[in-house]
Amino acid sequence: MVIKVFLASSSGSTAIKKKQQDVVAFLEALKLDYTQLDIACNEENRMWMRQNVPEEKKPTNGIPLPPQIFNEEQYCGDYDTFFDAKEDNSVYAFLGLPPPPGSKEAVQADKEHIVQNGTHAAENPDDSQAQVEEEEEQEEEDLQSEEEEELRQLEEEEEAEAQEGEEDDLEETQEEEAE
């Protein structure tokens, strides 16, 4: 899977340049494979980007501005949605990529039972969710077995003590009778 970032190499807007730099720098920091596609120098890139940004994501004038981010042909979002994902520690979900083990996003996904494609486990059941539930049930059964074993041992100890007490009483009675 290759992340495609559509950029304008010769943008006159400082804001667009900063947004593009932010996206590229963040992807590099994560060491993700990505491709920069220039829409200023390549008409095919510009047309492809404009045609593949969903209508509901286009601005009111109908022309999406860079940076626009795709995972292969799947639209991920623009800078604003990227920024929100970055703030929420959900960049991998935003990009449609599985988070690396041990990352904040992976830990958060485990806590919330989010499946790799970003949908909630209740909406899209997953074998890993079933495995987690099975492990929890097993832990509960193990705990219950341990408690039952402890209770059985206590009852045996009490029974042994009671039996010793009866034997002591019997010995005392026999000693008294012998006297």
Side-chain angles (χ1 to χ4, degrees):
M1 295 185 150
V2 175
I3 303 302
K4 297 178 182 177
V5 181
F6 288 84
L7 309 169
S9 61
S10 61
S11 174
S13 168
T14 306
I16 288 176
K17 287 179 184 176
K18 286 182 179 181
K19 290 176 180 180
Q20 292 175 159
Q21 289 171 348
D22 187 30
V23 169
V24 169
F26 197 79
L27 294 176
E28 286 179 4
L30 292 178
K31 296 183 171 115
L32 293 176
D33 288 332
Y34 71 96
T35 302
Q36 294 183 39
L37 300 167
D38 191 0
I39 64 169
C41 297
N42 188 317
E43 186 64 26
E44 285 180 32
N45 287 343
R46 181 189 347 237
M47 295 309 294
W48 191 93
M49 181 195 79
R50 287 183 179 179
Q51 290 170 354
N52 289 285
V53 170
E55 286 298 320
E56 66 273 5
K57 302 293 183 177
K58 290 182 181 178
T60 54
N61 68 2
I63 301 171
L65 298 173
Q68 295 292 327
I69 306 161
F70 290 80
N71 183 335
E72 296 292 337
E73 274 68 51
Q74 181 70 36
Y75 181 69
C76 298
D78 61 4
Y79 177 77
D80 292 333
T81 53
F82 170 80
F83 181 81
D84 291 342
K86 193 168 80 168
E87 290 295 309
D88 294 338
N89 288 320
S90 60
V91 172
Y92 289 95
F94 166 80
L95 295 172
L97 300 172
S103 67
K104 285 182 180 179
E105 192 169 343
V107 170
Q108 182 178 352
D110 287 343
K111 284 181 183 176
E112 297 176 7
H113 304 296
I114 296 178
V115 184
Q116 289 179 355
N117 67 2
T119 60
H120 197 276
E123 299 168 12
N124 188 2
D126 181 29
D127 289 342
S128 62
Q129 175 64 24
Q131 184 178 357
V132 167
E133 290 172 357
E134 189 176 304
E135 289 172 359
E136 289 173 351
E137 286 176 18
Q138 185 62 44
E139 287 177 11
E140 191 173 316
E141 288 175 12
D142 292 346
L143 183 61
Q144 189 174 7
S145 295
E146 288 176 17
E147 290 173 352
E148 289 173 358
E149 179 62 24
E150 287 177 9
L151 183 59
R152 188 184 59 76
Q153 286 177 352
L154 281 173
E155 288 173 351
E156 286 178 359
E157 289 173 7
E158 288 175 357
E159 190 175 307
E161 286 176 9
Q163 199 170 17
E164 284 179 21
E166 288 176 11
E167 289 174 3
D168 289 345
D169 289 345
L170 183 61
E171 284 179 20
E172 285 180 21
T173 304
Q174 288 174 348
E175 287 176 10
E176 288 175 1
E177 289 178 1
E179 290 179 2

